[in-house]
Amino acid sequence: MAYSDKVIEHYQNPHNVGSFGSSKEVQARKDVGVGIVGAPECGDVMQLHIQVSDAGVIQDAKFKCFGCGSAIASSSLATEWIKGKTVDEALAIKNTEIVEELSLPPVKIHCSVLAEDSIRAAIEDWKKKNGHATAVDTHAAHAH
Amino acid sequence: MNKPRPLYLDNAATTRCDPRVVEVMLPYLTEAYGNSGSRNHAFGWEAEEAVEKAREQAAALIGANSKEIIFTSGATESNNLAIKGAAHMYAKNPEGQTGRGHIITALHEHKAVLDPCKRLQKEGFDVTYLQPPADGVITVDMVAKEIRPDTILVSIMWANNEIGTINEIPAIGKLCHDKEIIFHSDGTQWVGKMPTDVERDNIDLLSWSGHKMYGPKGVGALYVRRRKPRVRLEAIFDGGGQERGMRSGTLNISGIAGFGKACELCQHEMQSEGERLLKFRNRLETELAKAIEVTQVNGNASKRVPNITNISFGFVEGESLLMGIKDIACSSGSACTSASLEPSYVLKSLGVGDELAHSSLRLSMSRWTTDKEIEYTIASITKAVLHLRKMSPLYDLFKEGVDISKIQWQTH
């Protein structure tokens, strides 16, 4: 399969790789939201850490990804896009926008879905930790 | 074709055609272009002579008589002809009925064996698919346990195409002969690489292919035993009655001539080649294991053909690993490219965990593989795995001491 130049660029020089601490450390931090989506048996796991201000602005984001090049590129791009956005703005990001930006082929659409899911899961986690109302179904409207 | 080509370590998929083979083939395309079925002129005789020479060369490679060689389009056709042909010939009940006979094969066979078996199930045959053990080797005891009074055919590959493991073929053949059951083996990854003798090894039907042993694509052979027992097959192709009626169709003369030459070269060179390839394989496996923690060589440690290795690199997904070594052509057990998201069924059948199956690479070498290429491959894979582990959440969990298999993943 031929990858788009953008996918290759993200794969070789991924943006914002990392975390804000071990799984225990980030669990204890109220300003950090954690999203882990996917499963090893499906061949992709995405982990997104977001650091959110009291005003609900995503100040920093870090990702780790076990998955194909498109999954790595999707999560790398997601961290770029959500930094500086409010949580509501970040929730508005659609997987189709990621597909378009990275020119993902149909067989790789699930990678963009996972990236969107990881944003939602991380924001949910942050909201829960801070006593905000949460949307129940992070999976709504995804066709798999 | 003029761009720099990647280094080729996917010889279990196909090999380069040896230039010595191509040289033999060319005259049969341009000058000696006759049809071996033309009995009344020199063009036909010339073609027939080429075919008969190739038949001798193919037979010599496996210790058979040349009359026992049927030329086909490749191992897929040979497997189909052997399995469906034998099942239909030795069926216990006529078409349209059930209980037509029992067939034994294994879950990690090639699709060209599994899919004919599945079709036969729909036609009223019973098929037992042996579950391979963790080391991938099918033993004679595993087969013996499943034999029934109505078993008519056993089909077990000689060496596995993904992991290179070698099954207990001579012993399984002996068992089948004792029980008067037809025994077929898919020898695609074995013949031409390892010494083969259909008499000593008790084979009734043996499939193999030219392009896995430095011959051309589109040509293969099926060995069909003529005595003790005389094996009969129902043909799949009807037509001109070529190949003793078992495979109608004008013969691929240049391809067959090349196939014969490839067989001859393998016969002479397999021993020295095998020793070289085994050194390369050992070097790949030991040096990669030394450089990268949590690597696993899949399949039995010693019962493997020398040219194939299948290694899982924990916490790294195979397709992304291929991207990181894109100047090395090889395969992955990851199925990220397929819609099913299922990793290699061969590795899964061995009980290799899903994440390790997704993390596997198959490296397969050839007579042209060099020391330098092996060295480069080890360095490239190491670099790519370490790059990917830096961004792998699974590697972090492993480092924290978390058992990944115990996590409740949100699956899709």
Side-chain angles (χ1 to χ4, degrees), chain A residues 56-58 81-94 97 119 123:
Chain A
V57 175
I58 299 171
W81 279 358
I82 61 177
K83 275 208 274 183
K85 284 200 164 75
T86 67
V87 290
D88 288 334
E89 284 165 348
L91 284 172
I93 294 171
K94 289 274 166 290
E97 299 168 59
I119 297 172
I123 291 172

Side-chain angles (χ1 to χ4, degrees), chain A residues 3 10 16 22 24 28 30 33 35 39-40 44-45 61 64 67 70 93 100 102 108 112 130 136:
Chain A
Y3 294 97
H10 278 287
N16 308 307
S22 71
K24 277 205 186 104
K30 278 186 95 175
D44 30 28
V45 175
K64 292 240 170 174
S70 304
I93 294 171
E100 209 170 304
L102 297 175
K108 296 297 187 188
S112 67
N130 291 278
V136 183

Side-chain angles (χ1 to χ4, degrees), chain B residues 12-14 18 148 165 167 175 234 260 266 290 322 354 356:
Chain B
T14 194
D18 195 301
R148 315 192 312 212
T165 48
N167 297 316
L175 171 76
E234 193 181 287
C266 283
K290 216 189 297 169
L322 288 181
D354 281 311
L356 278 178

Side-chain angles (χ1 to χ4, degrees), chain B residues 227-403:
Chain B
R227 44 191 296 273
K228 294 184 185 175
R230 181 184 183 87
V231 177
R232 293 177 307 146
L233 298 175
E234 193 181 287
I236 294 174
F237 292 0
D238 299 318
Q242 287 90 342
E243 298 300 272
R244 295 195 287 126
M246 284 195 237
R247 206 276 189 179
S248 286
T250 295
L251 276 72
N252 170 6
I253 309 296
S254 65
I256 288 168
F259 180 84
K261 183 65 182 177
C263 288
E264 185 193 284
L265 293 173
C266 283
Q267 195 178 349
H268 293 139
E269 294 173 12
M270 75 167 75
Q271 197 186 337
S272 59
E273 229 166 73
E275 286 164 12
R276 264 183 65 242
L277 295 174
L278 187 60
K279 271 188 206 143
F280 287 157
R281 197 192 75 191
N282 287 340
R283 186 168 173 210
L284 275 175
E285 291 172 357
T286 49
E287 292 193 19
L288 284 170
K290 216 189 297 169
I292 307 167
E293 62 177 330
V294 198
T295 62
Q296 168 183 316
V297 175
N298 295 307
N300 187 290
S302 58
K303 292 175 187 165
R304 279 181 298 139
V305 287
N307 59 315
I308 301 177
T309 183
N310 187 306
I311 312 180
S312 292
F313 302 93
F315 325 115
V316 165
E317 196 275 330
E319 194 188 324
S320 63
L321 182 52
L322 288 181
M323 233 176 130
I325 53 167
K326 59 180 183 310
D327 47 359
I328 300 170
C330 62
S331 307
S332 167
S334 159
C336 199
T337 44
S338 85
S340 70
L341 297 177
E342 282 289 311
S344 152
Y345 72 92
V346 169
L347 294 178
K348 283 192 82 169
S349 76
L350 266 56
V352 173
D354 281 311
E355 80 274 8
L356 278 178
H358 277 295
S359 306
S360 73
L361 283 189
R362 179 187 68 181
L363 304 165
S364 47
M365 298 158 288
S366 81
R367 66 170 57 133
W368 293 286
T369 304
T370 64
D371 254 323
K372 244 182 146 173
E373 289 178 332
I374 295 297
E375 202 174 294
Y376 180 80
T377 301
I378 292 166
S380 298
I381 292 176
T382 305
K383 191 173 157 220
V385 170
L386 299 183
H387 170 68
L388 290 166
R389 279 192 181 169
K390 266 188 229 144
M391 52 178 132
S392 169
L394 303 182
Y395 187 61
D396 283 354
L397 291 170
F398 164 74
K399 283 290 181 190
E400 287 179 27
V402 177
D403 183 351

